[in-house]
Amino acid sequence: HMFTLLSCWQLANAYRPAGYKRDLEGDFEPNLTNTVVFLVLSAMHASSFMANYEGHPFMQPMSANKPLFYSLCFFVASIFLIGSEAIPDINSSLSLVEFPSAEFRRH
């Protein structure tokens, strides 16, 4: 997970303007790095939860726990929807910026 997060962070930082400096005391300003880290961490949380769910015999299987199953499906679908920038209004309401190119999105 750390390698994936670090790789994505470095990719996003490569698109920062030259001389970029964070303003730690100022208001939050959305940027590409924040967007990429948010999406990658969300995907990591979903995949970790799905991989570590015990299921039968310790708990009921995921398919039997309908509220959990549907909410997890909704969460994963939301990550793909946000990552594909299919509905820009959702991304802007979450303070996510557009990807610089389609090539960047494929990385």
Side-chain angles (χ1 to χ4, degrees):
H1 287 262
M2 284 301 293
F3 176 74
T4 302
L5 184 60
L6 181 63
S7 298
C8 293
W9 180 76
Q10 288 174 338
L11 178 66
N13 281 344
Y15 284 84
R16 279 187 177 170
Y20 173 81
K21 187 170 182 174
R22 295 185 296 188
D23 183 12
L24 297 176
E25 301 298 323
D27 292 335
F28 173 75
E29 292 183 26
N31 60 40
L32 185 60
T33 304
N34 294 337
T35 299
V36 168
V37 169
F38 173 77
L39 288 172
V40 170
L41 283 177
S42 297
M44 284 181 180
H45 286 311
S47 65
S48 294
F49 185 82
M50 288 186 289
N52 293 321
Y53 186 78
E54 292 286 329
H56 186 71
F58 304 105
M59 299 168 60
Q60 62 181 331
M62 177 98 54
S63 59
N65 190 346
K66 296 295 181 193
L68 177 64
F69 179 72
Y70 290 135
S71 61
L72 192 56
C73 287
F74 176 76
F75 182 55
V76 171
S78 298
I79 293 169
F80 280 106
L81 185 70
I82 292 167
S84 68
E85 298 177 328
I87 306 174
D89 291 339
I90 293 175
N91 290 22
S92 63
S93 67
L94 292 173
S95 298
L96 303 176
V97 299
E98 293 181 20
F99 293 137
S101 65
E103 179 184 338
F104 181 87
R105 190 179 302 122
R106 285 192 296 267
H107 276 79

